[in-house]
Amino acid sequence: MQYNQTIQLRGGRACVLRHALAENAAAVIDNFNLTHGETDYLLTYPDESRSDVAAEARFLQAKADSANEVEIIAQVGDVIAGTAGIDAVGGRYKLRHRAEFGVSVAREYWGLGIGRALLNACIDCARQAGYTQLELDVVADNARAMALYTQAGFTEYGRNPRGFKSRTAGYQELVYMRLEL
């Protein structure tokens, strides 16, 4: 899926939001390793990444060529400051209306509006792809993310008190949220 938009961040810098390309694979992996090491709220740790540059390039190209999935990068200058994407929950008829959403932003770029812009871009892409429901999981203690998702119209539909098991914090409660598109 294709996406391209330029936004202005708090502080005046420009940020390009666009679908990732195969040539961005190494920088996307670097961003993954950075962001997943900076917070305990994401699904994996940097050492759990099994993607090499060639595999990531194939993944990103598949997303760019997809009609209903996307991986978006937020680029500030030459730096990938964050990524976000939507993935189909399933291809069977009963699941085709649902997509999953995920986002990460490097700590250096927190508070500038990149997370909100990536979220809005993914909502737009989900609508264009014909989804009628966008879903996410968020750690209950992640108050900033919970507020962002609630402001965007997501509502809670359940919780898993032992959804994640952190290496440092023990069990983390996951909040399941959804947005009707």
Side-chain angles (χ1 to χ4, degrees):
M1 180 171 245
Q2 309 286 303
Y3 189 86
N4 195 333
Q5 177 186 20
T6 300
I7 62 166
Q8 189 164 350
L9 301 176
R10 291 183 193 105
R13 288 188 283 179
C15 177
V16 176
L17 304 176
R18 65 171 173 80
H19 59 280
L21 303 169
E23 65 199 41
N24 302 123
V28 168
I29 290 172
D30 289 345
N31 178 268
F32 174 93
N33 289 331
L34 174 66
T35 58
H36 286 69
E38 292 181 322
T39 181
D40 203 26
Y41 293 140
L42 299 174
L43 176 65
T44 57
Y45 294 102
D47 64 327
E48 294 178 311
S49 173
R50 290 187 166 82
S51 190
D52 60 24
V53 174
E56 185 70 15
R58 288 189 300 274
F59 169 80
L60 295 176
Q61 189 61 54
K63 294 291 183 181
D65 294 340
S66 174
N68 65 341
E69 295 185 324
V70 69
E71 189 70 18
I72 298 173
I73 60 173
Q75 191 167 343
V76 179
D78 293 335
V79 176
I80 294 180
T83 64
I86 59 168
D87 297 298
V89 170
R92 295 200 160 99
Y93 183 83
K94 289 185 177 185
L95 299 175
R96 284 186 203 147
H97 67 289
R98 298 169 54 200
E100 296 175 313
F101 163 76
V103 62
S104 64
V105 176
R107 183 181 302 245
E108 176 183 349
Y109 296 93
W110 288 0
L112 299 177
I114 292 173
R116 181 178 310 277
L118 285 168
L119 170 62
N120 290 335
C122 285
I123 291 170
D124 289 345
C125 288
R127 283 189 175 115
Q128 284 180 359
Y131 294 111
T132 59
Q133 182 167 296
L134 190 57
E135 304 170 12
L136 60 86
D137 306 343
V138 60
V139 174
D141 292 340
N142 190 349
R144 289 177 59 165
M146 291 281 297
L148 174 67
Y149 302 143
T150 300
Q151 288 170 3
F154 282 83
T155 57
E156 179 180 330
Y157 69 90
R159 290 183 178 235
N160 182 343
R162 291 180 159 208
F164 282 174
K165 186 174 181 184
S166 164
R167 290 177 179 167
T168 58
Y171 289 107
Q172 295 173 305
E173 183 173 41
L174 283 183
V175 178
Y176 301 128
M177 301 184 85
R178 61 185 282 277
L179 174 68
E180 287 188 32
L181 301 172

